[in-house]
Amino acid sequence: MEKISKHSRTVGIVGLVLFVIGIVGWQGAVHSVPDVLELTESAQWGLLVGMFFFFEALGSGCLIVGALKKHAGMLTVGVAGIVGACVMILMDLYHPEAAWRLFLAPNVGSPMFLDVLFSTLCIVFGILLVVALSKGIDRLAKVMVPAVVVVAALFPLGTAWLCTTLPGQLGWSTLELASFFLGAGVCAGASTCFFKMREGRALLVAFLAGLLILNIAEVGFLIYGTAESLDQLTMREVVMGKFAPLFWTSVVAFMAIPLVLALLKKVDVRIAAALGVIGVACSKYLFAIKGNLFPYLSLDNVSVQLLDTASGYPVMSYIPGFNEWLACIGAIGLVVAMVAVALPLVSQGSKVALS
Amino acid sequence: MHYGMLLDLSRCVACGGCVMACKRVNGTLGDVYWCNVYTQEVGEYPNAHLKSMPMGCMHCEDAPCVEHCPTSASYRTEDGFVLVDQEKCIGCRACVSACPYNARHLNLYDPVENPYWGDGQEQMPFEKLTTAKHIKGTAEKCVFCHDRVKSGIEPACVRTCVSSARVFGDLDDPESEIVKEIQRRKAEPLARELGTKPSVYYVGQ
């Protein structure tokens, strides 16, 4: 087997160093008192869960596109993305040492079990398909292509099911979010594809337009929805409140502008694709924030001031802490390192299989 | 047997006695309050008054926290207590997110390093016993003082309530005081439309 190139090795080492820094940051967050990971009573799921959503979208999108195109490289990126998602969730747990219970003693009726199941299957089936494509095992590849597509589509849908069945989180109460999850996943995957495959500019345009429409549609719900409705409060806070700068920056800079760039044939499509991936990350982070904003609570004329933003009470403002950013950078480093090391090996394997 | 509670908002004077009794008996740490009384000023001077709303776990029959717990750490007993096995809790906060009543908390404190009464003060034996039950990084909530109830004693918040705003008893017993009061006063659970079937009922304004 040929050696991994110097460039890949350097990228891999840098990624691993970032991962170690992330682990140190995460440890710092876990041992801080009292606000571990800067989370509060009002903000239970923050940046790490937002990044889980992003890695999940990236991984499942790459797996779907990679399986359909039978592209071992894309599948490798997909598997690395799913591993990144799992790392993010493990870092988000306060007792990751007990995570074995998720596999050996799970509550199979819990929607979160779907995440555990499909993320595991994505990794296992993804690796099997990469091996099949690299080694030229056609029978295994034939079986694994539909299997990977199915589990990679079910993974984000399982998360959507988890989020939309949480009665305590109004920001995630609508079932339309399932399309948001799948759409964002395919968009992230497709956008990533364009780093490797430059064909199909129209496809990228369609995905970016889809992501933009999904986000603008939420603004539409806000404008034309019932103003008094509690679930409108969450979106109002994201679109017009404290998180508005991030929301509008993501819509304009990472969805609308890349869409225009993708339409301009003189512009390198990879620029639009890169911006699109950042757009998915931003929208996923805002999605995590939105779900946390306002717990449901009212009884006739009695309302709980602490939780009632209509009364002018200051709403939750969640800003990720330094250690949370370090943990995220660490997970990104791990994914980059995995891709940097695995991609050349997969490419070599593919060449051998083809020859 | 199905234990439940009736809260009479017209009787509650928002003294916070239940909050402190709960904290004392259960030794909850830091900013964690299993029992809480939210208050809100209503109206304008000279007709302003304070509305209060005692809150805690609703011990729902179809508890979303139990359904969403990925490790079965949250569970419901046959007699209606929704409890948490802290040894099984992985700290994912799915239950905290799932609770529409904001009744669950993640304990971010170490019982020894961060006692609720402040630094530099020695724990009494009873405090050592109660605070030791808490594990940092796990979900917590009102347990309806199930240890006391098993011993035939009412929950601390019920026993201490100065205005008798709380009634505790068996919802399955048609002759119990709580059932009679719920029927007589047409008490309702909070946010019934969510379908969680709470075991805590409210009446009054």
Side-chain angles (χ1 to χ4, degrees), chain A residues 214-242:
Chain A
L214 281 168
N215 277 270
I216 295 297
E218 291 209 283
V219 182
F221 284 135
L222 181 69
I223 295 168
Y224 295 106
T226 314
E228 291 79 21
S229 169
L230 277 171
D231 54 0
Q232 294 294 323
L233 292 174
T234 58
M235 198 58 218
R236 192 187 303 167
E237 200 54 38
V238 168
V239 175
M240 296 188 288
K242 288 181 179 172

PDB file of all heavy atoms in Angstrom, chain A residues 214-242:
ATOM      1  N   LEU A 214     -36.925  27.182   2.816  1.00  0.00           N
ATOM      2  CA  LEU A 214     -37.321  26.646   4.138  1.00  0.00           C
ATOM      3  C   LEU A 214     -37.163  27.704   5.225  1.00  0.00           C
ATOM      4  O   LEU A 214     -38.009  27.830   6.118  1.00  0.00           O
ATOM      5  CB  LEU A 214     -36.469  25.422   4.480  1.00  0.00           C
ATOM      6  CG  LEU A 214     -36.863  24.112   3.816  1.00  0.00           C
ATOM      7  CD1 LEU A 214     -35.772  23.065   4.020  1.00  0.00           C
ATOM      8  CD2 LEU A 214     -38.173  23.589   4.375  1.00  0.00           C
ATOM      9  N   ASN A 215     -36.080  28.469   5.154  1.00  0.00           N
ATOM     10  CA  ASN A 215     -35.847  29.495   6.176  1.00  0.00           C
ATOM     11  C   ASN A 215     -36.787  30.680   6.012  1.00  0.00           C
ATOM     12  O   ASN A 215     -37.310  31.207   6.990  1.00  0.00           O
ATOM     13  CB  ASN A 215     -34.386  29.962   6.129  1.00  0.00           C
ATOM     14  CG  ASN A 215     -33.487  29.024   6.912  1.00  0.00           C
ATOM     15  OD1 ASN A 215     -33.265  29.198   8.090  1.00  0.00           O
ATOM     16  ND2 ASN A 215     -33.016  27.982   6.249  1.00  0.00           N
ATOM     17  N   ILE A 216     -36.988  31.092   4.740  1.00  0.00           N
ATOM     18  CA  ILE A 216     -37.896  32.219   4.497  1.00  0.00           C
ATOM     19  C   ILE A 216     -39.333  31.823   4.856  1.00  0.00           C
ATOM     20  O   ILE A 216     -40.118  32.634   5.352  1.00  0.00           O
ATOM     21  CB  ILE A 216     -37.804  32.669   3.020  1.00  0.00           C
ATOM     22  CG1 ILE A 216     -36.401  33.222   2.738  1.00  0.00           C
ATOM     23  CG2 ILE A 216     -38.867  33.716   2.692  1.00  0.00           C
ATOM     24  CD1 ILE A 216     -36.022  34.453   3.534  1.00  0.00           C
ATOM     25  N   ALA A 217     -39.657  30.551   4.630  1.00  0.00           N
ATOM     26  CA  ALA A 217     -41.010  30.086   4.961  1.00  0.00           C
ATOM     27  C   ALA A 217     -41.300  30.260   6.444  1.00  0.00           C
ATOM     28  O   ALA A 217     -42.419  30.567   6.843  1.00  0.00           O
ATOM     29  CB  ALA A 217     -41.167  28.621   4.572  1.00  0.00           C
ATOM     30  N   GLU A 218     -40.260  30.076   7.262  1.00  0.00           N
ATOM     31  CA  GLU A 218     -40.455  30.263   8.707  1.00  0.00           C
ATOM     32  C   GLU A 218     -40.812  31.710   9.014  1.00  0.00           C
ATOM     33  O   GLU A 218     -41.617  31.990   9.906  1.00  0.00           O
ATOM     34  CB  GLU A 218     -39.187  29.846   9.459  1.00  0.00           C
ATOM     35  CG  GLU A 218     -38.960  28.353   9.402  1.00  0.00           C
ATOM     36  CD  GLU A 218     -38.218  27.853  10.612  1.00  0.00           C
ATOM     37  OE1 GLU A 218     -36.995  28.057  10.672  1.00  0.00           O
ATOM     38  OE2 GLU A 218     -38.843  27.248  11.484  1.00  0.00           O
ATOM     39  N   VAL A 219     -40.188  32.642   8.284  1.00  0.00           N
ATOM     40  CA  VAL A 219     -40.533  34.057   8.462  1.00  0.00           C
ATOM     41  C   VAL A 219     -41.982  34.277   8.030  1.00  0.00           C
ATOM     42  O   VAL A 219     -42.729  35.031   8.657  1.00  0.00           O
ATOM     43  CB  VAL A 219     -39.583  34.960   7.645  1.00  0.00           C
ATOM     44  CG1 VAL A 219     -39.921  36.431   7.874  1.00  0.00           C
ATOM     45  CG2 VAL A 219     -38.145  34.690   8.039  1.00  0.00           C
ATOM     46  N   GLY A 220     -42.374  33.571   6.958  1.00  0.00           N
ATOM     47  CA  GLY A 220     -43.757  33.671   6.478  1.00  0.00           C
ATOM     48  C   GLY A 220     -44.749  33.197   7.523  1.00  0.00           C
ATOM     49  O   GLY A 220     -45.771  33.843   7.772  1.00  0.00           O
ATOM     50  N   PHE A 221     -44.402  32.070   8.184  1.00  0.00           N
ATOM     51  CA  PHE A 221     -45.275  31.570   9.261  1.00  0.00           C
ATOM     52  C   PHE A 221     -45.428  32.632  10.347  1.00  0.00           C
ATOM     53  O   PHE A 221     -46.487  32.817  10.931  1.00  0.00           O
ATOM     54  CB  PHE A 221     -44.695  30.296   9.884  1.00  0.00           C
ATOM     55  CG  PHE A 221     -44.876  29.078   9.033  1.00  0.00           C
ATOM     56  CD1 PHE A 221     -43.832  28.181   8.831  1.00  0.00           C
ATOM     57  CD2 PHE A 221     -46.100  28.802   8.431  1.00  0.00           C
ATOM     58  CE1 PHE A 221     -43.992  27.058   8.048  1.00  0.00           C
ATOM     59  CE2 PHE A 221     -46.271  27.673   7.651  1.00  0.00           C
ATOM     60  CZ  PHE A 221     -45.215  26.804   7.449  1.00  0.00           C
ATOM     61  N   LEU A 222     -44.331  33.325  10.613  1.00  0.00           N
ATOM     62  CA  LEU A 222     -44.339  34.347  11.666  1.00  0.00           C
ATOM     63  C   LEU A 222     -45.254  35.504  11.285  1.00  0.00           C
ATOM     64  O   LEU A 222     -46.032  36.012  12.093  1.00  0.00           O
ATOM     65  CB  LEU A 222     -42.912  34.854  11.881  1.00  0.00           C
ATOM     66  CG  LEU A 222     -42.747  35.911  12.965  1.00  0.00           C
ATOM     67  CD1 LEU A 222     -42.983  35.312  14.327  1.00  0.00           C
ATOM     68  CD2 LEU A 222     -41.351  36.501  12.908  1.00  0.00           C
ATOM     69  N   ILE A 223     -45.171  35.915  10.008  1.00  0.00           N
ATOM     70  CA  ILE A 223     -45.952  37.072   9.561  1.00  0.00           C
ATOM     71  C   ILE A 223     -47.439  36.732   9.504  1.00  0.00           C
ATOM     72  O   ILE A 223     -48.287  37.491   9.971  1.00  0.00           O
ATOM     73  CB  ILE A 223     -45.451  37.551   8.177  1.00  0.00           C
ATOM     74  CG1 ILE A 223     -44.017  38.073   8.315  1.00  0.00           C
ATOM     75  CG2 ILE A 223     -46.367  38.633   7.608  1.00  0.00           C
ATOM     76  CD1 ILE A 223     -43.330  38.308   6.997  1.00  0.00           C
ATOM     77  N   TYR A 224     -47.721  35.557   8.948  1.00  0.00           N
ATOM     78  CA  TYR A 224     -49.128  35.219   8.725  1.00  0.00           C
ATOM     79  C   TYR A 224     -49.725  34.309   9.795  1.00  0.00           C
ATOM     80  O   TYR A 224     -50.901  33.991   9.749  1.00  0.00           O
ATOM     81  CB  TYR A 224     -49.286  34.576   7.342  1.00  0.00           C
ATOM     82  CG  TYR A 224     -48.951  35.540   6.243  1.00  0.00           C
ATOM     83  CD1 TYR A 224     -47.763  35.428   5.535  1.00  0.00           C
ATOM     84  CD2 TYR A 224     -49.806  36.595   5.946  1.00  0.00           C
ATOM     85  CE1 TYR A 224     -47.435  36.329   4.533  1.00  0.00           C
ATOM     86  CE2 TYR A 224     -49.478  37.512   4.953  1.00  0.00           C
ATOM     87  CZ  TYR A 224     -48.292  37.361   4.253  1.00  0.00           C
ATOM     88  OH  TYR A 224     -47.973  38.271   3.281  1.00  0.00           O
ATOM     89  N   GLY A 225     -48.899  33.881  10.756  1.00  0.00           N
ATOM     90  CA  GLY A 225     -49.429  33.035  11.827  1.00  0.00           C
ATOM     91  C   GLY A 225     -50.204  33.854  12.847  1.00  0.00           C
ATOM     92  O   GLY A 225     -50.328  35.075  12.742  1.00  0.00           O
ATOM     93  N   THR A 226     -50.713  33.161  13.867  1.00  0.00           N
ATOM     94  CA  THR A 226     -51.451  33.851  14.923  1.00  0.00           C
ATOM     95  C   THR A 226     -50.464  34.567  15.837  1.00  0.00           C
ATOM     96  O   THR A 226     -49.582  33.939  16.402  1.00  0.00           O
ATOM     97  CB  THR A 226     -52.256  32.829  15.753  1.00  0.00           C
ATOM     98  OG1 THR A 226     -52.909  31.952  14.852  1.00  0.00           O
ATOM     99  CG2 THR A 226     -53.284  33.519  16.623  1.00  0.00           C
ATOM    100  N   ALA A 227     -50.642  35.876  15.963  1.00  0.00           N
ATOM    101  CA  ALA A 227     -49.669  36.677  16.715  1.00  0.00           C
ATOM    102  C   ALA A 227     -49.595  36.266  18.176  1.00  0.00           C
ATOM    103  O   ALA A 227     -48.544  36.335  18.798  1.00  0.00           O
ATOM    104  CB  ALA A 227     -50.029  38.150  16.608  1.00  0.00           C
ATOM    105  N   GLU A 228     -50.737  35.809  18.739  1.00  0.00           N
ATOM    106  CA  GLU A 228     -50.758  35.480  20.165  1.00  0.00           C
ATOM    107  C   GLU A 228     -50.232  34.079  20.442  1.00  0.00           C
ATOM    108  O   GLU A 228     -50.019  33.714  21.585  1.00  0.00           O
ATOM    109  CB  GLU A 228     -52.194  35.583  20.714  1.00  0.00           C
ATOM    110  CG  GLU A 228     -52.744  37.002  20.777  1.00  0.00           C
ATOM    111  CD  GLU A 228     -53.216  37.481  19.427  1.00  0.00           C
ATOM    112  OE1 GLU A 228     -53.493  36.620  18.565  1.00  0.00           O
ATOM    113  OE2 GLU A 228     -53.278  38.696  19.206  1.00  0.00           O
ATOM    114  N   SER A 229     -50.096  33.304  19.395  1.00  0.00           N
ATOM    115  CA  SER A 229     -49.695  31.922  19.588  1.00  0.00           C
ATOM    116  C   SER A 229     -48.325  31.836  20.273  1.00  0.00           C
ATOM    117  O   SER A 229     -47.386  32.539  19.895  1.00  0.00           O
ATOM    118  CB  SER A 229     -49.655  31.218  18.236  1.00  0.00           C
ATOM    119  OG  SER A 229     -49.037  29.980  18.365  1.00  0.00           O
ATOM    120  N   LEU A 230     -48.245  30.959  21.282  1.00  0.00           N
ATOM    121  CA  LEU A 230     -46.991  30.846  22.019  1.00  0.00           C
ATOM    122  C   LEU A 230     -45.839  30.385  21.127  1.00  0.00           C
ATOM    123  O   LEU A 230     -44.717  30.828  21.272  1.00  0.00           O
ATOM    124  CB  LEU A 230     -47.170  29.861  23.178  1.00  0.00           C
ATOM    125  CG  LEU A 230     -47.782  30.417  24.458  1.00  0.00           C
ATOM    126  CD1 LEU A 230     -48.093  29.290  25.401  1.00  0.00           C
ATOM    127  CD2 LEU A 230     -46.856  31.408  25.119  1.00  0.00           C
ATOM    128  N   ASP A 231     -46.184  29.487  20.183  1.00  0.00           N
ATOM    129  CA  ASP A 231     -45.088  28.961  19.365  1.00  0.00           C
ATOM    130  C   ASP A 231     -44.544  30.002  18.391  1.00  0.00           C
ATOM    131  O   ASP A 231     -43.483  29.813  17.801  1.00  0.00           O
ATOM    132  CB  ASP A 231     -45.484  27.664  18.645  1.00  0.00           C
ATOM    133  CG  ASP A 231     -46.739  27.814  17.834  1.00  0.00           C
ATOM    134  OD1 ASP A 231     -47.298  28.921  17.832  1.00  0.00           O
ATOM    135  OD2 ASP A 231     -47.160  26.825  17.216  1.00  0.00           O
ATOM    136  N   GLN A 232     -45.266  31.091  18.196  1.00  0.00           N
ATOM    137  CA  GLN A 232     -44.735  32.157  17.347  1.00  0.00           C
ATOM    138  C   GLN A 232     -43.626  32.919  18.066  1.00  0.00           C
ATOM    139  O   GLN A 232     -42.767  33.532  17.429  1.00  0.00           O
ATOM    140  CB  GLN A 232     -45.854  33.153  16.985  1.00  0.00           C
ATOM    141  CG  GLN A 232     -46.949  32.568  16.112  1.00  0.00           C
ATOM    142  CD  GLN A 232     -46.451  32.203  14.742  1.00  0.00           C
ATOM    143  OE1 GLN A 232     -45.626  32.903  14.182  1.00  0.00           O
ATOM    144  NE2 GLN A 232     -46.914  31.102  14.208  1.00  0.00           N
ATOM    145  N   LEU A 233     -43.652  32.868  19.395  1.00  0.00           N
ATOM    146  CA  LEU A 233     -42.671  33.641  20.162  1.00  0.00           C
ATOM    147  C   LEU A 233     -41.247  33.179  19.886  1.00  0.00           C
ATOM    148  O   LEU A 233     -40.330  33.981  19.825  1.00  0.00           O
ATOM    149  CB  LEU A 233     -42.968  33.508  21.658  1.00  0.00           C
ATOM    150  CG  LEU A 233     -44.259  34.160  22.144  1.00  0.00           C
ATOM    151  CD1 LEU A 233     -44.490  33.826  23.602  1.00  0.00           C
ATOM    152  CD2 LEU A 233     -44.211  35.660  21.956  1.00  0.00           C
ATOM    153  N   THR A 234     -41.092  31.889  19.721  1.00  0.00           N
ATOM    154  CA  THR A 234     -39.747  31.363  19.502  1.00  0.00           C
ATOM    155  C   THR A 234     -39.168  31.909  18.205  1.00  0.00           C
ATOM    156  O   THR A 234     -38.031  32.342  18.147  1.00  0.00           O
ATOM    157  CB  THR A 234     -39.775  29.838  19.439  1.00  0.00           C
ATOM    158  OG1 THR A 234     -40.642  29.439  18.392  1.00  0.00           O
ATOM    159  CG2 THR A 234     -40.265  29.245  20.730  1.00  0.00           C
ATOM    160  N   MET A 235     -39.999  31.857  17.165  1.00  0.00           N
ATOM    161  CA  MET A 235     -39.517  32.314  15.852  1.00  0.00           C
ATOM    162  C   MET A 235     -39.295  33.820  15.859  1.00  0.00           C
ATOM    163  O   MET A 235     -38.345  34.320  15.248  1.00  0.00           O
ATOM    164  CB  MET A 235     -40.556  31.922  14.799  1.00  0.00           C
ATOM    165  CG  MET A 235     -40.017  31.923  13.390  1.00  0.00           C
ATOM    166  SD  MET A 235     -38.619  30.807  13.228  1.00  0.00           S
ATOM    167  CE  MET A 235     -37.607  31.765  12.116  1.00  0.00           C
ATOM    168  N   ARG A 236     -40.163  34.530  16.591  1.00  0.00           N
ATOM    169  CA  ARG A 236     -40.021  35.981  16.655  1.00  0.00           C
ATOM    170  C   ARG A 236     -38.667  36.347  17.266  1.00  0.00           C
ATOM    171  O   ARG A 236     -37.999  37.282  16.832  1.00  0.00           O
ATOM    172  CB  ARG A 236     -41.154  36.566  17.496  1.00  0.00           C
ATOM    173  CG  ARG A 236     -41.250  38.083  17.389  1.00  0.00           C
ATOM    174  CD  ARG A 236     -42.263  38.642  18.351  1.00  0.00           C
ATOM    175  NE  ARG A 236     -43.592  38.062  18.172  1.00  0.00           N
ATOM    176  CZ  ARG A 236     -44.591  38.208  19.043  1.00  0.00           C
ATOM    177  NH1 ARG A 236     -44.405  38.895  20.144  1.00  0.00           N
ATOM    178  NH2 ARG A 236     -45.765  37.663  18.821  1.00  0.00           N
ATOM    179  N   GLU A 237     -38.280  35.575  18.255  1.00  0.00           N
ATOM    180  CA  GLU A 237     -37.014  35.858  18.920  1.00  0.00           C
ATOM    181  C   GLU A 237     -35.830  35.606  17.987  1.00  0.00           C
ATOM    182  O   GLU A 237     -34.834  36.313  18.021  1.00  0.00           O
ATOM    183  CB  GLU A 237     -36.891  34.990  20.172  1.00  0.00           C
ATOM    184  CG  GLU A 237     -35.909  35.488  21.189  1.00  0.00           C
ATOM    185  CD  GLU A 237     -36.158  36.921  21.618  1.00  0.00           C
ATOM    186  OE1 GLU A 237     -37.325  37.315  21.758  1.00  0.00           O
ATOM    187  OE2 GLU A 237     -35.179  37.654  21.804  1.00  0.00           O
ATOM    188  N   VAL A 238     -35.980  34.578  17.152  1.00  0.00           N
ATOM    189  CA  VAL A 238     -34.892  34.266  16.226  1.00  0.00           C
ATOM    190  C   VAL A 238     -34.850  35.278  15.079  1.00  0.00           C
ATOM    191  O   VAL A 238     -33.781  35.742  14.690  1.00  0.00           O
ATOM    192  CB  VAL A 238     -35.062  32.826  15.672  1.00  0.00           C
ATOM    193  CG1 VAL A 238     -34.128  32.584  14.498  1.00  0.00           C
ATOM    194  CG2 VAL A 238     -34.796  31.816  16.772  1.00  0.00           C
ATOM    195  N   VAL A 239     -36.000  35.656  14.565  1.00  0.00           N
ATOM    196  CA  VAL A 239     -36.045  36.524  13.376  1.00  0.00           C
ATOM    197  C   VAL A 239     -35.894  38.000  13.743  1.00  0.00           C
ATOM    198  O   VAL A 239     -35.263  38.764  13.020  1.00  0.00           O
ATOM    199  CB  VAL A 239     -37.370  36.294  12.613  1.00  0.00           C
ATOM    200  CG1 VAL A 239     -37.497  37.258  11.444  1.00  0.00           C
ATOM    201  CG2 VAL A 239     -37.434  34.866  12.113  1.00  0.00           C
ATOM    202  N   MET A 240     -36.471  38.397  14.875  1.00  0.00           N
ATOM    203  CA  MET A 240     -36.467  39.827  15.197  1.00  0.00           C
ATOM    204  C   MET A 240     -35.829  40.138  16.548  1.00  0.00           C
ATOM    205  O   MET A 240     -35.720  41.289  16.922  1.00  0.00           O
ATOM    206  CB  MET A 240     -37.910  40.357  15.197  1.00  0.00           C
ATOM    207  CG  MET A 240     -38.559  40.271  13.823  1.00  0.00           C
ATOM    208  SD  MET A 240     -40.145  41.070  13.743  1.00  0.00           S
ATOM    209  CE  MET A 240     -41.176  39.974  14.691  1.00  0.00           C
ATOM    210  N   GLY A 241     -35.444  39.131  17.279  1.00  0.00           N
ATOM    211  CA  GLY A 241     -34.928  39.361  18.631  1.00  0.00           C
ATOM    212  C   GLY A 241     -33.411  39.296  18.696  1.00  0.00           C
ATOM    213  O   GLY A 241     -32.705  39.729  17.780  1.00  0.00           O
ATOM    214  N   LYS A 242     -32.949  38.713  19.791  1.00  0.00           N
ATOM    215  CA  LYS A 242     -31.510  38.712  20.056  1.00  0.00           C
ATOM    216  C   LYS A 242     -30.696  37.936  19.024  1.00  0.00           C
ATOM    217  O   LYS A 242     -29.514  38.179  18.850  1.00  0.00           O
ATOM    218  CB  LYS A 242     -31.265  38.129  21.453  1.00  0.00           C
ATOM    219  CG  LYS A 242     -31.684  39.066  22.560  1.00  0.00           C
ATOM    220  CD  LYS A 242     -31.413  38.465  23.895  1.00  0.00           C
ATOM    221  CE  LYS A 242     -31.823  39.439  24.988  1.00  0.00           C
ATOM    222  NZ  LYS A 242     -31.752  38.858  26.318  1.00  0.00           N
TER     223      LYS A 242
END
